[in-house]
Amino acid sequence: MLKTKLKEYRERSGLKQAELAELVHARRETIVHLENGRYNPSLKLAMDIAKVFSVPVEELFTFTEEE
């Protein structure tokens, strides 16, 4: 199961979903799904998002085994 801190980082940075989407060349809906844990990002997208916030990918996204 993917867990993300994306919304927390985005709000802390004062970015709207659409603004983040534009920065990483994605659709706003993709950002919505990522924040709600309904979408697993590609490695490139995850790295692009991490670069926006200047943090390691592992800071934004963690994967846990479902029990």
Side-chain angles (χ1 to χ4, degrees):
M1 175 189 235
L2 182 72
K3 294 192 178 197
T4 180
K5 295 181 182 175
L6 180 56
K7 185 174 183 179
E8 174 187 329
Y9 274 84
R10 180 182 58 76
E11 288 178 343
R12 194 184 310 158
S13 297
L15 287 173
K16 294 183 173 152
Q17 290 171 331
E19 293 169 330
L20 177 58
E22 190 174 317
L23 288 172
V24 298
H25 308 288
R27 294 174 44 219
R28 186 190 65 81
E29 291 82 2
T30 301
I31 303 301
V32 171
H33 292 313
L34 281 169
E35 289 184 355
N36 293 324
R38 292 187 307 220
Y39 179 75
N40 290 339
S42 68
L43 181 57
K44 180 180 181 342
L45 179 56
M47 292 180 80
D48 288 346
I49 293 170
K51 195 181 294 183
V52 168
F53 299 113
S54 301
V55 297
V57 172
E58 300 86 0
E59 181 70 27
L60 288 174
F61 300 101
T62 54
F63 187 79
T64 57
E65 294 294 327
E66 289 187 68
E67 296 182 19

